[in-house]
PDB file of all heavy atoms in Angstrom:
ATOM      1  N   TYR A 280      35.873  14.749  21.417  1.00  0.00           N
ATOM      2  CA  TYR A 280      34.983  14.659  20.252  1.00  0.00           C
ATOM      3  C   TYR A 280      33.674  13.937  20.620  1.00  0.00           C
ATOM      4  O   TYR A 280      32.578  14.381  20.265  1.00  0.00           O
ATOM      5  CB  TYR A 280      35.730  13.915  19.147  1.00  0.00           C
ATOM      6  CG  TYR A 280      35.100  13.990  17.772  1.00  0.00           C
ATOM      7  CD1 TYR A 280      35.173  15.159  17.009  1.00  0.00           C
ATOM      8  CD2 TYR A 280      34.457  12.893  17.223  1.00  0.00           C
ATOM      9  CE1 TYR A 280      34.622  15.221  15.739  1.00  0.00           C
ATOM     10  CE2 TYR A 280      33.903  12.944  15.959  1.00  0.00           C
ATOM     11  CZ  TYR A 280      33.985  14.113  15.221  1.00  0.00           C
ATOM     12  OH  TYR A 280      33.431  14.158  13.966  1.00  0.00           O
ATOM     13  N   THR A 294      21.557  17.794  11.958  1.00  0.00           N
ATOM     14  CA  THR A 294      22.645  17.470  11.022  1.00  0.00           C
ATOM     15  C   THR A 294      22.134  16.517   9.935  1.00  0.00           C
ATOM     16  O   THR A 294      21.036  15.978  10.034  1.00  0.00           O
ATOM     17  CB  THR A 294      23.848  16.811  11.742  1.00  0.00           C
ATOM     18  OG1 THR A 294      23.417  15.560  12.276  1.00  0.00           O
ATOM     19  CG2 THR A 294      24.401  17.690  12.843  1.00  0.00           C
ATOM     20  N   ILE A 295      22.977  16.301   8.928  1.00  0.00           N
ATOM     21  CA  ILE A 295      22.564  15.540   7.746  1.00  0.00           C
ATOM     22  C   ILE A 295      22.081  14.137   8.106  1.00  0.00           C
ATOM     23  O   ILE A 295      21.075  13.669   7.576  1.00  0.00           O
ATOM     24  CB  ILE A 295      23.735  15.473   6.738  1.00  0.00           C
ATOM     25  CG1 ILE A 295      23.996  16.869   6.168  1.00  0.00           C
ATOM     26  CG2 ILE A 295      23.427  14.511   5.597  1.00  0.00           C
ATOM     27  CD1 ILE A 295      25.204  16.966   5.276  1.00  0.00           C
ATOM     28  N   TYR A 318      36.897   3.587  13.646  1.00  0.00           N
ATOM     29  CA  TYR A 318      37.205   4.888  14.247  1.00  0.00           C
ATOM     30  C   TYR A 318      38.162   4.728  15.429  1.00  0.00           C
ATOM     31  O   TYR A 318      38.670   5.705  15.953  1.00  0.00           O
ATOM     32  CB  TYR A 318      35.926   5.586  14.728  1.00  0.00           C
ATOM     33  CG  TYR A 318      35.082   6.205  13.621  1.00  0.00           C
ATOM     34  CD1 TYR A 318      35.107   5.708  12.324  1.00  0.00           C
ATOM     35  CD2 TYR A 318      34.259   7.295  13.875  1.00  0.00           C
ATOM     36  CE1 TYR A 318      34.326   6.266  11.317  1.00  0.00           C
ATOM     37  CE2 TYR A 318      33.479   7.867  12.870  1.00  0.00           C
ATOM     38  CZ  TYR A 318      33.522   7.339  11.597  1.00  0.00           C
ATOM     39  OH  TYR A 318      32.746   7.900  10.612  1.00  0.00           O
ATOM     40  N   PHE A 351      35.890  23.198  14.401  1.00  0.00           N
ATOM     41  CA  PHE A 351      34.724  22.316  14.241  1.00  0.00           C
ATOM     42  C   PHE A 351      33.561  22.796  15.110  1.00  0.00           C
ATOM     43  O   PHE A 351      32.441  22.983  14.654  1.00  0.00           O
ATOM     44  CB  PHE A 351      35.185  20.899  14.623  1.00  0.00           C
ATOM     45  CG  PHE A 351      34.118  19.899  14.933  1.00  0.00           C
ATOM     46  CD1 PHE A 351      33.503  19.185  13.911  1.00  0.00           C
ATOM     47  CD2 PHE A 351      33.750  19.632  16.249  1.00  0.00           C
ATOM     48  CE1 PHE A 351      32.524  18.239  14.199  1.00  0.00           C
ATOM     49  CE2 PHE A 351      32.779  18.684  16.535  1.00  0.00           C
ATOM     50  CZ  PHE A 351      32.164  17.987  15.502  1.00  0.00           C
ATOM     51  N   ASN A 355      30.112  24.875  13.845  1.00  0.00           N
ATOM     52  CA  ASN A 355      28.801  24.255  14.077  1.00  0.00           C
ATOM     53  C   ASN A 355      27.928  25.133  14.975  1.00  0.00           C
ATOM     54  O   ASN A 355      26.726  25.278  14.750  1.00  0.00           O
ATOM     55  CB  ASN A 355      28.977  22.867  14.714  1.00  0.00           C
ATOM     56  CG  ASN A 355      29.467  21.847  13.702  1.00  0.00           C
ATOM     57  OD1 ASN A 355      29.137  21.919  12.525  1.00  0.00           O
ATOM     58  ND2 ASN A 355      30.277  20.900  14.141  1.00  0.00           N
ATOM     59  N   LYS A 358      26.339  28.160  13.120  1.00  0.00           N
ATOM     60  CA  LYS A 358      25.144  27.843  12.314  1.00  0.00           C
ATOM     61  C   LYS A 358      23.940  27.575  13.216  1.00  0.00           C
ATOM     62  O   LYS A 358      22.830  28.026  12.949  1.00  0.00           O
ATOM     63  CB  LYS A 358      25.404  26.633  11.409  1.00  0.00           C
ATOM     64  CG  LYS A 358      24.233  26.397  10.446  1.00  0.00           C
ATOM     65  CD  LYS A 358      24.349  25.131   9.644  1.00  0.00           C
ATOM     66  CE  LYS A 358      23.809  23.958  10.431  1.00  0.00           C
ATOM     67  NZ  LYS A 358      23.795  22.713   9.680  1.00  0.00           N
ATOM     68  N   ARG A 362      20.556  29.701  13.152  1.00  0.00           N
ATOM     69  CA  ARG A 362      19.267  29.108  12.784  1.00  0.00           C
ATOM     70  C   ARG A 362      18.260  29.186  13.939  1.00  0.00           C
ATOM     71  O   ARG A 362      17.079  29.446  13.723  1.00  0.00           O
ATOM     72  CB  ARG A 362      19.476  27.647  12.385  1.00  0.00           C
ATOM     73  CG  ARG A 362      20.004  27.462  10.961  1.00  0.00           C
ATOM     74  CD  ARG A 362      18.865  27.607   9.974  1.00  0.00           C
ATOM     75  NE  ARG A 362      19.268  27.701   8.592  1.00  0.00           N
ATOM     76  CZ  ARG A 362      19.371  26.668   7.760  1.00  0.00           C
ATOM     77  NH1 ARG A 362      19.146  25.454   8.208  1.00  0.00           N
ATOM     78  NH2 ARG A 362      19.688  26.850   6.510  1.00  0.00           N
ATOM     79  N   MET A 395      23.663  31.564   6.058  1.00  0.00           N
ATOM     80  CA  MET A 395      24.580  32.565   6.594  1.00  0.00           C
ATOM     81  C   MET A 395      25.823  32.713   5.703  1.00  0.00           C
ATOM     82  O   MET A 395      26.341  31.715   5.197  1.00  0.00           O
ATOM     83  CB  MET A 395      25.003  32.132   8.001  1.00  0.00           C
ATOM     84  CG  MET A 395      25.911  33.125   8.673  1.00  0.00           C
ATOM     85  SD  MET A 395      26.028  32.870  10.450  1.00  0.00           S
ATOM     86  CE  MET A 395      26.334  31.167  10.604  1.00  0.00           C
ATOM     87  N   TRP A 400      31.224  30.590   8.234  1.00  0.00           N
ATOM     88  CA  TRP A 400      30.406  30.219   7.065  1.00  0.00           C
ATOM     89  C   TRP A 400      30.640  31.164   5.887  1.00  0.00           C
ATOM     90  O   TRP A 400      30.185  30.891   4.779  1.00  0.00           O
ATOM     91  CB  TRP A 400      28.927  30.151   7.450  1.00  0.00           C
ATOM     92  CG  TRP A 400      28.700  29.010   8.388  1.00  0.00           C
ATOM     93  CD1 TRP A 400      28.809  29.057   9.749  1.00  0.00           C
ATOM     94  CD2 TRP A 400      28.416  27.645   8.057  1.00  0.00           C
ATOM     95  NE1 TRP A 400      28.594  27.800  10.277  1.00  0.00           N
ATOM     96  CE2 TRP A 400      28.346  26.918   9.265  1.00  0.00           C
ATOM     97  CE3 TRP A 400      28.206  26.953   6.861  1.00  0.00           C
ATOM     98  CZ2 TRP A 400      28.079  25.555   9.317  1.00  0.00           C
ATOM     99  CZ3 TRP A 400      27.929  25.593   6.904  1.00  0.00           C
ATOM    100  CH2 TRP A 400      27.875  24.913   8.121  1.00  0.00           C
ATOM    101  N   HIS A 405      31.847  24.651   4.123  1.00  0.00           N
ATOM    102  CA  HIS A 405      31.871  23.564   5.118  1.00  0.00           C
ATOM    103  C   HIS A 405      33.139  23.625   5.962  1.00  0.00           C
ATOM    104  O   HIS A 405      33.873  22.645   6.043  1.00  0.00           O
ATOM    105  CB  HIS A 405      31.752  22.205   4.419  1.00  0.00           C
ATOM    106  CG  HIS A 405      30.337  21.776   4.256  1.00  0.00           C
ATOM    107  ND1 HIS A 405      29.708  21.723   3.051  1.00  0.00           N
ATOM    108  CD2 HIS A 405      29.401  21.404   5.180  1.00  0.00           C
ATOM    109  CE1 HIS A 405      28.456  21.331   3.219  1.00  0.00           C
ATOM    110  NE2 HIS A 405      28.249  21.136   4.494  1.00  0.00           N
ATOM    111  N   ASN A 407      33.318  23.568   9.019  1.00  0.00           N
ATOM    112  CA  ASN A 407      33.208  22.598  10.126  1.00  0.00           C
ATOM    113  C   ASN A 407      33.902  21.284   9.745  1.00  0.00           C
ATOM    114  O   ASN A 407      34.559  20.653  10.576  1.00  0.00           O
ATOM    115  CB  ASN A 407      31.749  22.360  10.532  1.00  0.00           C
ATOM    116  CG  ASN A 407      30.828  22.080   9.361  1.00  0.00           C
ATOM    117  OD1 ASN A 407      31.205  22.251   8.212  1.00  0.00           O
ATOM    118  ND2 ASN A 407      29.599  21.663   9.649  1.00  0.00           N
ATOM    119  N   TYR A 408      33.807  20.884   8.481  1.00  0.00           N
ATOM    120  CA  TYR A 408      34.475  19.670   8.033  1.00  0.00           C
ATOM    121  C   TYR A 408      36.005  19.853   8.083  1.00  0.00           C
ATOM    122  O   TYR A 408      36.734  18.912   8.394  1.00  0.00           O
ATOM    123  CB  TYR A 408      34.077  19.312   6.591  1.00  0.00           C
ATOM    124  CG  TYR A 408      32.633  18.860   6.395  1.00  0.00           C
ATOM    125  CD1 TYR A 408      32.171  18.514   5.127  1.00  0.00           C
ATOM    126  CD2 TYR A 408      31.733  18.763   7.452  1.00  0.00           C
ATOM    127  CE1 TYR A 408      30.864  18.094   4.924  1.00  0.00           C
ATOM    128  CE2 TYR A 408      30.429  18.355   7.265  1.00  0.00           C
ATOM    129  CZ  TYR A 408      29.992  18.026   5.995  1.00  0.00           C
ATOM    130  OH  TYR A 408      28.696  17.608   5.782  1.00  0.00           O
ATOM    131  N   ASP A 411      37.120  19.298  11.521  1.00  0.00           N
ATOM    132  CA  ASP A 411      37.003  17.867  11.805  1.00  0.00           C
ATOM    133  C   ASP A 411      38.217  17.123  11.220  1.00  0.00           C
ATOM    134  O   ASP A 411      38.808  16.238  11.870  1.00  0.00           O
ATOM    135  CB  ASP A 411      35.706  17.352  11.148  1.00  0.00           C
ATOM    136  CG  ASP A 411      35.121  16.138  11.845  1.00  0.00           C
ATOM    137  OD1 ASP A 411      35.838  15.535  12.639  1.00  0.00           O
ATOM    138  OD2 ASP A 411      33.959  15.793  11.579  1.00  0.00           O
ATOM    139  N   MET A 436      38.114   9.860   6.364  1.00  0.00           N
ATOM    140  CA  MET A 436      37.351  11.066   6.690  1.00  0.00           C
ATOM    141  C   MET A 436      37.416  12.082   5.551  1.00  0.00           C
ATOM    142  O   MET A 436      36.448  12.794   5.282  1.00  0.00           O
ATOM    143  CB  MET A 436      37.885  11.713   7.987  1.00  0.00           C
ATOM    144  CG  MET A 436      37.463  10.984   9.244  1.00  0.00           C
ATOM    145  SD  MET A 436      35.682  10.971   9.507  1.00  0.00           S
ATOM    146  CE  MET A 436      35.409  12.597  10.161  1.00  0.00           C
ATOM    147  N   ARG A 443      30.459  13.992   1.235  1.00  0.00           N
ATOM    148  CA  ARG A 443      29.299  14.524   1.968  1.00  0.00           C
ATOM    149  C   ARG A 443      29.021  15.969   1.560  1.00  0.00           C
ATOM    150  O   ARG A 443      27.882  16.391   1.410  1.00  0.00           O
ATOM    151  CB  ARG A 443      29.621  14.445   3.460  1.00  0.00           C
ATOM    152  CG  ARG A 443      28.437  14.429   4.378  1.00  0.00           C
ATOM    153  CD  ARG A 443      28.977  14.217   5.771  1.00  0.00           C
ATOM    154  NE  ARG A 443      27.981  14.448   6.765  1.00  0.00           N
ATOM    155  CZ  ARG A 443      27.225  13.480   7.304  1.00  0.00           C
ATOM    156  NH1 ARG A 443      27.373  12.247   6.928  1.00  0.00           N
ATOM    157  NH2 ARG A 443      26.344  13.766   8.230  1.00  0.00           N
ATOM    158  N   ASP A 447      25.664  17.010  -0.050  1.00  0.00           N
ATOM    159  CA  ASP A 447      24.856  18.011   0.643  1.00  0.00           C
ATOM    160  C   ASP A 447      24.541  19.183  -0.293  1.00  0.00           C
ATOM    161  O   ASP A 447      23.431  19.699  -0.324  1.00  0.00           O
ATOM    162  CB  ASP A 447      25.615  18.509   1.884  1.00  0.00           C
ATOM    163  CG  ASP A 447      24.784  19.497   2.673  1.00  0.00           C
ATOM    164  OD1 ASP A 447      23.606  19.204   2.927  1.00  0.00           O
ATOM    165  OD2 ASP A 447      25.304  20.576   3.017  1.00  0.00           O
ATOM    166  N   ARG A 450      21.906  18.302  -2.700  1.00  0.00           N
ATOM    167  CA  ARG A 450      20.600  18.318  -2.049  1.00  0.00           C
ATOM    168  C   ARG A 450      20.121  19.756  -1.813  1.00  0.00           C
ATOM    169  O   ARG A 450      18.969  20.093  -2.053  1.00  0.00           O
ATOM    170  CB  ARG A 450      20.685  17.577  -0.713  1.00  0.00           C
ATOM    171  CG  ARG A 450      19.344  17.296  -0.074  1.00  0.00           C
ATOM    172  CD  ARG A 450      19.515  16.972   1.388  1.00  0.00           C
ATOM    173  NE  ARG A 450      20.007  18.116   2.133  1.00  0.00           N
ATOM    174  CZ  ARG A 450      19.238  19.073   2.627  1.00  0.00           C
ATOM    175  NH1 ARG A 450      17.943  19.033   2.481  1.00  0.00           N
ATOM    176  NH2 ARG A 450      19.760  20.097   3.280  1.00  0.00           N
ATOM    177  N   CYS A 451      21.063  20.607  -1.365  1.00  0.00           N
ATOM    178  CA  CYS A 451      20.680  21.997  -1.086  1.00  0.00           C
ATOM    179  C   CYS A 451      20.265  22.710  -2.376  1.00  0.00           C
ATOM    180  O   CYS A 451      19.342  23.523  -2.378  1.00  0.00           O
ATOM    181  CB  CYS A 451      21.833  22.752  -0.418  1.00  0.00           C
ATOM    182  SG  CYS A 451      22.058  22.292   1.297  1.00  0.00           S
ATOM    183  N   LYS A 454      16.898  21.680  -3.121  1.00  0.00           N
ATOM    184  CA  LYS A 454      15.959  22.254  -2.155  1.00  0.00           C
ATOM    185  C   LYS A 454      15.738  23.751  -2.400  1.00  0.00           C
ATOM    186  O   LYS A 454      14.610  24.222  -2.419  1.00  0.00           O
ATOM    187  CB  LYS A 454      16.501  22.008  -0.739  1.00  0.00           C
ATOM    188  CG  LYS A 454      15.605  22.489   0.383  1.00  0.00           C
ATOM    189  CD  LYS A 454      16.182  22.075   1.745  1.00  0.00           C
ATOM    190  CE  LYS A 454      15.363  22.647   2.884  1.00  0.00           C
ATOM    191  NZ  LYS A 454      15.917  22.273   4.196  1.00  0.00           N
ATOM    192  N   TYR A 455      16.839  24.486  -2.578  1.00  0.00           N
ATOM    193  CA  TYR A 455      16.731  25.947  -2.621  1.00  0.00           C
ATOM    194  C   TYR A 455      16.800  26.555  -4.021  1.00  0.00           C
ATOM    195  O   TYR A 455      16.569  27.762  -4.177  1.00  0.00           O
ATOM    196  CB  TYR A 455      17.836  26.577  -1.772  1.00  0.00           C
ATOM    197  CG  TYR A 455      17.746  26.247  -0.303  1.00  0.00           C
ATOM    198  CD1 TYR A 455      18.799  25.626   0.355  1.00  0.00           C
ATOM    199  CD2 TYR A 455      16.613  26.567   0.429  1.00  0.00           C
ATOM    200  CE1 TYR A 455      18.727  25.321   1.709  1.00  0.00           C
ATOM    201  CE2 TYR A 455      16.526  26.264   1.785  1.00  0.00           C
ATOM    202  CZ  TYR A 455      17.588  25.642   2.419  1.00  0.00           C
ATOM    203  OH  TYR A 455      17.507  25.337   3.750  1.00  0.00           O
ATOM    204  N   TYR A 462      24.005  31.783  -2.987  1.00  0.00           N
ATOM    205  CA  TYR A 462      24.853  31.492  -1.828  1.00  0.00           C
ATOM    206  C   TYR A 462      26.252  31.036  -2.267  1.00  0.00           C
ATOM    207  O   TYR A 462      27.262  31.507  -1.741  1.00  0.00           O
ATOM    208  CB  TYR A 462      24.176  30.421  -0.958  1.00  0.00           C
ATOM    209  CG  TYR A 462      25.043  29.896   0.149  1.00  0.00           C
ATOM    210  CD1 TYR A 462      25.526  30.734   1.153  1.00  0.00           C
ATOM    211  CD2 TYR A 462      25.389  28.546   0.198  1.00  0.00           C
ATOM    212  CE1 TYR A 462      26.337  30.242   2.165  1.00  0.00           C
ATOM    213  CE2 TYR A 462      26.190  28.046   1.205  1.00  0.00           C
ATOM    214  CZ  TYR A 462      26.666  28.901   2.181  1.00  0.00           C
ATOM    215  OH  TYR A 462      27.469  28.416   3.179  1.00  0.00           O
TER     216      TYR A 462
HETATM  217  P1  LIG B 501      26.361  20.584   8.443  1.00  0.00           P
HETATM  218  O1  LIG B 501      26.209  20.752   9.901  1.00  0.00           O
HETATM  219  O2  LIG B 501      27.346  21.467   7.779  1.00  0.00           O
HETATM  220  O3  LIG B 501      24.927  20.790   7.824  1.00  0.00           O
HETATM  221  C1  LIG B 501      24.692  21.007   6.473  1.00  0.00           C
HETATM  222  C2  LIG B 501      23.323  21.641   6.371  1.00  0.00           C
HETATM  223  O4  LIG B 501      23.338  22.940   6.984  1.00  0.00           O
HETATM  224  C3  LIG B 501      22.884  21.880   4.954  1.00  0.00           C
HETATM  225  O5  LIG B 501      22.268  20.736   4.413  1.00  0.00           O
HETATM  226  C4  LIG B 501      21.882  23.015   5.136  1.00  0.00           C
HETATM  227  O6  LIG B 501      20.698  22.438   5.673  1.00  0.00           O
HETATM  228  C5  LIG B 501      22.508  23.838   6.252  1.00  0.00           C
HETATM  229  N1  LIG B 501      23.389  24.889   5.785  1.00  0.00           N
HETATM  230  C6  LIG B 501      24.346  24.800   4.822  1.00  0.00           C
HETATM  231  N2  LIG B 501      24.968  25.981   4.682  1.00  0.00           N
HETATM  232  C7  LIG B 501      24.411  26.829   5.577  1.00  0.00           C
HETATM  233  C8  LIG B 501      24.629  28.190   5.900  1.00  0.00           C
HETATM  234  N3  LIG B 501      25.536  28.917   5.270  1.00  0.00           N
HETATM  235  N4  LIG B 501      23.872  28.758   6.855  1.00  0.00           N
HETATM  236  C9  LIG B 501      22.929  28.036   7.508  1.00  0.00           C
HETATM  237  N5  LIG B 501      22.683  26.736   7.250  1.00  0.00           N
HETATM  238  C10 LIG B 501      23.414  26.135   6.287  1.00  0.00           C
HETATM  239  O7  LIG B 501      26.736  19.140   7.967  1.00  0.00           O
HETATM  240  P2  LIG B 501      26.711  17.703   8.660  1.00  0.00           P
HETATM  241  O8  LIG B 501      25.400  17.439   9.235  1.00  0.00           O
HETATM  242  O9  LIG B 501      27.230  16.775   7.636  1.00  0.00           O
HETATM  243  O10 LIG B 501      27.840  17.783   9.763  1.00  0.00           O
HETATM  244  C11 LIG B 501      27.689  18.155  11.104  1.00  0.00           C
HETATM  245  C12 LIG B 501      29.018  17.929  11.802  1.00  0.00           C
HETATM  246  O11 LIG B 501      29.217  16.543  12.004  1.00  0.00           O
HETATM  247  C13 LIG B 501      30.193  18.461  11.014  1.00  0.00           C
HETATM  248  O12 LIG B 501      31.004  19.228  11.855  1.00  0.00           O
HETATM  249  C14 LIG B 501      30.916  17.227  10.550  1.00  0.00           C
HETATM  250  O13 LIG B 501      32.306  17.468  10.523  1.00  0.00           O
HETATM  251  C15 LIG B 501      30.517  16.178  11.569  1.00  0.00           C
HETATM  252  N6  LIG B 501      30.464  14.834  10.996  1.00  0.00           N
HETATM  253  C16 LIG B 501      31.276  13.862  11.504  1.00  0.00           C
HETATM  254  C17 LIG B 501      31.252  12.598  10.983  1.00  0.00           C
HETATM  255  C18 LIG B 501      32.098  11.527  11.535  1.00  0.00           C
HETATM  256  O14 LIG B 501      31.935  10.385  11.095  1.00  0.00           O
HETATM  257  N7  LIG B 501      33.006  11.811  12.454  1.00  0.00           N
HETATM  258  C19 LIG B 501      30.346  12.222   9.886  1.00  0.00           C
HETATM  259  C20 LIG B 501      29.564  13.318   9.441  1.00  0.00           C
HETATM  260  C21 LIG B 501      29.604  14.561   9.983  1.00  0.00           C
HETATM  261  P3  LIG B 501      19.241  23.096   5.542  1.00  0.00           P
HETATM  262  O15 LIG B 501      18.490  22.153   4.681  1.00  0.00           O
HETATM  263  O16 LIG B 501      18.742  23.151   6.948  1.00  0.00           O
HETATM  264  O17 LIG B 501      19.402  24.457   4.923  1.00  0.00           O
END
Side-chain angles (χ1 to χ4, degrees):
Y280 193 74
T294 64
I295 292 174
Y318 284 27
F351 162 85
N355 286 327
K358 187 187 85 176
R362 280 281 169 93
M395 182 164 49
W400 293 88
H405 270 110
N407 49 349
Y408 291 180
D411 207 345
M436 284 297 281
R443 203 175 168 95
D447 183 48
R450 191 198 66 85
C451 285
K454 183 175 175 181
Y455 296 122
Y462 171 61

